Amino acid sequence: MKELLWTIPLFPFLGALLNGVLLRGRIGKKAVTAIACGSVLAAMVTGALVIGSYLASAERRLPAHYGFDQEVYTWIPAGLLTTAAKGIVDFKVAMGFFLDPLACVMLFVVTFVGFWIHVYSAGYMAHDDGYQRYFTYLNLFMGAMLMLVLGNNYLVMFVGWEGVGLCSYLLIGFYYKEEFPPYAGRKAFIVNRIGDFAFLVGLFALVANFGTLKFSALFPAIAADPALALTPYHFHLTVAGFAALCLFIGAMGKSAQIPLYVWLPDAMAGPTPVSALIHAATMVTAGVYMVARSNVLYQLAPGVSVFIAVIGCATALFAGTIGLAQTDIKKVLAYSTVSQLGYMFLAAGVGAYTAAVFHLVTHAFFKALLFLGSGSVIHAMGGEQDMRKMGGLRKYLPTTYWTFVVGALAISGIPGFAGFFSKDQILSSVAGRGLWTLYVVGLLTAGLTACYMFRAVFLTFHGDFRGTEEQRHHLHESPPVMTLPLQVLAVGAVVAGWVGIPAALTFERFDLNVFEHFLDPILGKVKGLVPGAPHVGLGVELLLIGLSVGVAAAGFGIAWSVYGKRGLAGGEAWARRLPAVQRVLVNKYYVDELYDATVVRGFWATARGLFRFDSSFIDGALVNGARNLTVAVSLVSGVFDKYVVDGLVNLVGWVLGRFSFLFRRLQTGYVSNYALVLALGMFALVCFYFLFQRG
Amino acid sequence: MLAVTTQHYLILSFLLFAIGLSGILLRKNMITVLMSIELVLNSVNINLIAFSYQWSNLTGQIFSIFTITVAAGEAAVGLGILIAFFRLRDTTSLERASELKG
């Protein structure tokens, strides 16, 4: 059964082919929906069967087992290559797929969340003209994402990585007739490209040194003999450090970390289910998955890992504070996503890869849920996204309300909900490694998270309705095709955390952390960055859990006292009290403006300078210079021709003309003269005849 | 009675030839010149026929018929040129036909 692994990405690709090419414009919306959702469902079912058969297989229990490798065909037979590790090797890249516990987790999350978002989209996009185009892109995305997750080497992963980037671009700019979405799409694409460039450089470094990109060949080799990986390389880094840093810069772009996070908030210009699927649950977490997958490299590069942790932590806090002041409901969720991704990188950076992946999974559920909930709200409000014009929607959208609250509770880390377990695992891992500064920032961010999420809940669902009468008239709960995915994901947002219950909560009597044991074979052998136990003692851990719950509760309390009791007015009162802070946060720390002034302007200035160089030097000096030179030379040559060459010709004619006067006299033009000559000639002939006859 | 011999014909032919030649060389009118050319040709014809008679060989007489035919063609072409020239210059004087003067 597990041999069907390679067919999993094929289903959504097939769906995209049918909807996008073969049956484009020929079938109705029902058939489009059936193809799109059916192909993802097929991928999900096949994925479940493959996971089941893989987990049941006997070879998995062998100590030397690394994962289930399946190569479909040789994709790039590159030929001979000189590498640092093995000398000359025959470098080949296969179109191959790979299944290990980490891939199983990702496969499940991507297909499960993806399927329910497809179902939701059928309701959300029902009245859109580009229905078939939308599902083509969405299916294409699923295929690319599955390739990314299931690739057995970095290059197949990179194909998926670029594929999801392309689909992200296409779907952000889905409403291409408006002005902003295409701009946002381009921005996302270009910012991602910066990261992808580094990613490629990282791959080149790996190929040049180890001669392979295949996970099951590369990582065991490095783990067995880290000598080569630790030799010095460019920029005072080791080989592993250089590759790890480059790959992480790629992840910075894809997973929206400082300084390449700027595209994600603008990406909200796409349809809301897209924000849920691509910009919350799956694509943006690809960077975290990639770092976890490459954990062998990152363990050998502690400096880079610390850098990742610091970047992640800074991003978490930075984006969290911006989220506090946004008024667009999707922007709040977008900054929340950036912040939560920062959390995941914080965990990955300190070596708690299991915690990072765990948070990735729970986040996929509750953030997809929150986005879909916000989509339901926007749907009811007729496209309105400004929370200042909402309020009191609890009465009109009951299902959306309670599922949204479940999502908010989950992300805030309220005990029992999914986010609590994963966030607690991250914070305790950070604390366990003695990185207290990062811990405090992380804790603060947890408080911020609860605060901005409940601010959104209170502004949207509580208080009085602040929109127009017409909007109030149209308020309605979404159809079941949209509320069912909300309910399913709400259940997920609760129970997804239960697979990773920390031992401390059972006072270390039971070992209920199934998730950690599941990922142990690949992520469990991680040594801590800082010497010491990755887990703190029982008492301290319970204290930390209490602390994080307390901070979340405090965040909730602040949101309640400001927005819950007094609605929008409470927030505005605070904004008046701290105008400078308000202005900076609403304008997102002026980062876009900073980039515009430095990078974008710099780019434009460089382009303009190059244009001037082109027009003045290349066009002016070289091309026009060559022209002028040619004109000058041909002038000289023309004068030479005219006076020397033609002069000679004319001289010949002139000389002939001068000397022809002797003969010219003969030609009198009178016929009589010619006749006379004729007669004389005849006379001469006759005389001649007689003379010779006699003589 | 003086018998008419070949010699007499030759003298007649010579006189005709001399008259024709002098006409060609001395007259300025193209029509006269053309007529003089006819005289020259006919003097030749007389010559041919005289010798043909003397030797009882008809070749000379046939030759003279050819000459008359060609002379007719020549006269037609000559008169055509003359008419064209007259239209152009309004005269038939040879002195005005000096375009080929070097």
Side-chain angles (χ1 to χ4, degrees):
Chain A
M1 210 56 204
K2 65 185 177 184
E3 283 71 25
L4 286 177
L5 178 64
W6 65 278
T7 62
I8 298 173
L10 230 50
F11 290 112
F13 278 137
L14 198 67
L17 187 71
L18 283 177
N19 266 336
V21 183
L22 300 179
L23 298 175
R24 194 171 74 182
R26 288 189 207 163
I27 47 175
K29 283 187 175 174
K30 274 187 185 161
V32 171
T33 319
I35 291 172
C37 297
S39 65
V40 179
L41 182 66
M44 182 167 84
V45 171
T46 318
L49 291 174
V50 167
I51 291 173
S53 106
Y54 169 69
L55 294 183
S57 64
E59 57 174 320
R60 196 170 81 87
R61 292 185 184 76
L62 299 174
H65 176 73
Y66 192 74
F68 171 60
D69 236 324
Q70 186 183 34
E71 299 202 335
V72 183
Y73 63 93
T74 302
W75 174 32
I76 302 176
L80 299 180
L81 184 80
T82 313
T83 63
K86 288 176 264 176
I88 295 173
V89 295
D90 188 10
F91 181 60
K92 271 187 227 156
V93 181
M95 181 54 73
F97 298 94
F98 182 66
L99 201 67
D100 65 351
L102 179 60
C104 286
V105 170
M106 292 302 292
L107 175 58
F108 170 71
V109 171
V110 168
T111 51
F112 184 80
V113 177
F115 172 68
W116 286 108
I117 292 175
H118 270 71
V119 172
Y120 177 93
S121 296
Y124 188 83
M125 301 298 287
H127 305 298
D128 202 286
D129 290 337
Y131 194 75
Q132 199 170 21
R133 182 165 58 96
Y134 174 83
F135 276 107
T136 305
Y137 293 163
L138 216 56
N139 267 5
L140 200 61
F141 170 80
M142 288 299 294
M145 190 68 206
L146 287 169
M147 265 185 96
L148 194 165
V149 166
L150 296 177
N152 86 333
N153 60 61
Y154 274 114
L155 219 53
V156 175
M157 184 196 235
F158 188 66
V159 170
W161 185 275
E162 291 297 304
V164 292
L166 168 72
C167 294
S168 160
Y169 159 76
L170 290 171
L171 285 163
I172 294 169
F174 182 75
Y175 299 119
Y176 61 91
K177 284 174 186 157
E178 291 161 41
E179 198 183 340
F180 184 68
Y183 165 77
R186 282 198 301 278
K187 185 173 176 181
F189 202 76
I190 291 166
V191 174
N192 266 299
R193 188 69 39 250
I194 298 168
D196 294 344
F197 172 71
F199 192 98
L200 266 181
V201 172
L203 297 197
F204 295 152
L206 287 176
V207 173
N209 282 290
F210 303 106
T212 181
L213 288 173
K214 198 170 151 185
F215 300 141
S216 57
L218 182 66
F219 297 140
I222 296 177
D225 180 18
L228 173 65
L230 291 174
T231 51
Y233 207 49
H234 302 296
F235 304 119
H236 303 288
L237 289 164
T238 60
V239 170
F242 181 78
L245 183 65
C246 285
L247 293 178
F248 175 63
I249 293 171
M252 270 178 178
K254 190 99 334 194
S255 297
Q257 295 299 294
I258 290 174
L260 299 180
Y261 73 95
V262 286
W263 65 272
L264 186 55
D266 283 351
M268 297 301 125
T272 308
V274 170
S275 310
L277 177 62
I278 302 184
H279 306 121
T282 54
M283 183 189 84
V284 289
T285 59
V288 181
Y289 164 72
M290 190 275 296
V291 170
R293 169 66 73 213
S294 322
N295 65 78
V296 175
L297 279 177
Y298 285 94
Q299 286 174 64
L300 292 172
V304 175
S305 288
V306 168
F307 175 67
I308 294 175
V310 171
I311 287 279
C313 198
T315 308
L317 180 67
F318 183 78
T321 54
I322 298 176
L324 270 181
Q326 295 301 309
T327 50
D328 183 327
I329 187 167
K330 282 182 75 182
K331 282 278 164 70
V332 174
L333 295 175
Y335 280 105
S336 160
T337 305
V338 175
S339 175
Q340 298 301 309
L341 288 167
Y343 252 112
M344 296 175 208
F345 278 111
L346 170 62
V350 299
Y353 300 107
T354 314
V357 175
F358 190 27
H359 197 55
L360 187 164
V361 174
T362 58
H363 177 259
F365 281 100
F366 59 67
K367 189 51 70 63
L369 169 63
L370 288 168
F371 263 115
L372 294 187
S374 80
S376 178
V377 169
I378 294 165
H379 194 68
M381 294 287 293
E384 181 62 62
Q385 301 192 5
D386 193 336
M387 293 192 295
R388 287 172 298 188
K389 302 209 174 101
M390 297 173 185
L393 298 183
R394 183 171 42 156
K395 284 191 298 238
Y396 305 99
L397 310 169
T399 316
T400 308
Y401 172 65
W402 75 256
T403 50
F404 200 85
V405 168
V406 167
L409 289 170
I411 195 175
S412 304
I414 304 301
F417 294 89
F420 164 73
F421 299 103
S422 56
K423 200 176 281 187
D424 167 70
Q425 209 176 330
I426 291 175
L427 288 176
S428 70
S429 309
V430 175
R433 286 161 173 83
L435 302 162
W436 293 103
T437 318
L438 295 180
Y439 173 78
V440 170
V441 174
L443 196 63
L444 199 62
T445 309
L448 279 177
T449 309
C451 188
Y452 65 65
M453 269 329 299
F454 278 96
R455 169 177 174 267
V457 171
F458 291 137
L459 279 180
T460 311
F461 293 101
H462 290 247
D464 299 320
F465 186 67
R466 293 181 295 271
T468 60
E469 269 311 306
E470 199 194 339
Q471 282 173 327
R472 184 204 290 277
H473 186 68
H474 282 117
L475 283 177
H476 59 279
E477 180 59 285
S478 302
V481 70
M482 286 165 72
T483 49
L484 181 66
L486 286 177
Q487 287 157 345
V488 170
L489 288 173
V491 172
V494 180
V495 301
W498 294 354
V499 293
I501 297 169
L505 279 186
T506 56
F507 300 99
E508 297 186 342
R509 267 184 220 152
F510 303 102
D511 194 357
L512 295 177
N513 204 336
V514 186
F515 194 78
E516 196 173 302
H517 296 307
F518 184 60
L519 290 180
D520 248 355
I522 24 171
L523 303 177
K525 300 172 195 112
V526 172
K527 295 171 225 99
L529 274 180
V530 182
H535 289 288
V536 285
L538 175 62
V540 181
E541 191 166 354
L542 282 177
L543 184 71
L544 294 180
I545 290 173
L547 208 56
S548 64
V549 173
V551 168
F556 173 77
I558 292 169
W560 167 248
S561 70
V562 177
Y563 292 97
K565 277 197 293 196
R566 297 169 57 198
L568 190 60
E572 279 166 353
W574 273 99
R576 272 194 297 282
R577 234 168 287 169
L578 299 165
V581 176
Q582 149 87 1
R583 210 174 320 121
V584 168
L585 290 184
V586 166
N587 288 297
K588 311 152 215 162
Y589 293 96
Y590 296 100
V591 170
D592 274 331
E593 284 77 3
L594 177 75
Y595 282 3
D596 194 52
T598 54
V599 181
V600 180
R601 287 272 169 80
F603 181 78
W604 278 109
T606 314
R608 226 171 276 129
L610 287 174
F611 169 73
R612 286 220 189 88
F613 177 78
D614 259 17
S615 66
S616 62
F617 184 73
I618 306 280
D619 279 9
L622 295 185
V623 177
N624 291 349
R627 180 204 59 193
N628 290 342
L629 193 68
T630 313
V631 168
V633 168
S634 57
L635 266 178
V636 172
S637 157
V639 167
F640 180 81
D641 265 13
K642 193 170 177 185
Y643 293 100
V644 180
V645 179
D646 281 8
L648 275 173
V649 173
N650 286 343
L651 184 70
V652 172
W654 183 80
V655 168
L656 285 176
R658 284 295 101 181
F659 284 90
S660 65
F661 69 97
L662 289 172
F663 309 98
R664 210 158 55 201
R665 286 294 158 85
L666 287 173
Q667 307 291 327
T668 57
Y670 298 115
V671 178
S672 316
N673 292 8
Y674 300 149
L676 179 64
V677 173
L678 198 77
L680 288 175
M682 195 171 66
F683 181 69
L685 276 176
V686 172
C687 292
F688 193 70
Y689 172 75
F690 280 111
L691 278 174
F692 272 89
Q693 201 185 37
R694 295 231 180 108
Chain B
M1 181 82 183
L2 187 70
V4 180
T5 60
T6 308
Q7 202 138 23
H8 295 108
Y9 288 111
L10 288 182
I11 291 164
L12 173 67
S13 162
F14 174 73
L15 286 173
L16 268 179
F17 183 84
I19 293 165
L21 187 62
S22 51
I24 290 170
L25 294 182
L26 299 177
R27 301 307 290 259
K28 301 298 178 198
N29 192 322
M30 284 183 193
I31 299 170
T32 323
V33 170
L34 276 176
M35 291 187 325
S36 308
I37 290 171
E38 293 303 317
L39 282 182
V40 170
L41 287 171
N42 282 326
S43 74
V44 172
N45 283 346
I46 290 168
N47 245 3
L48 286 170
I49 293 163
F51 283 120
S52 162
Y53 180 75
Q54 186 184 350
W55 299 109
S56 300
N57 187 336
L58 283 177
T59 312
Q61 294 187 33
I62 292 168
F63 216 104
S64 71
I65 289 170
F66 272 110
T67 312
I68 290 165
T69 316
V70 172
E74 177 259 319
V77 174
L79 281 169
I81 292 172
L82 192 145
I83 289 166
F85 181 79
F86 181 77
R87 280 185 186 156
L88 199 67
R89 295 281 156 90
D90 235 354
T91 176
T92 52
S93 168
L94 268 179
E95 286 184 330
R96 297 290 307 277
S98 58
E99 284 289 288
L100 286 174
K101 185 179 190 301

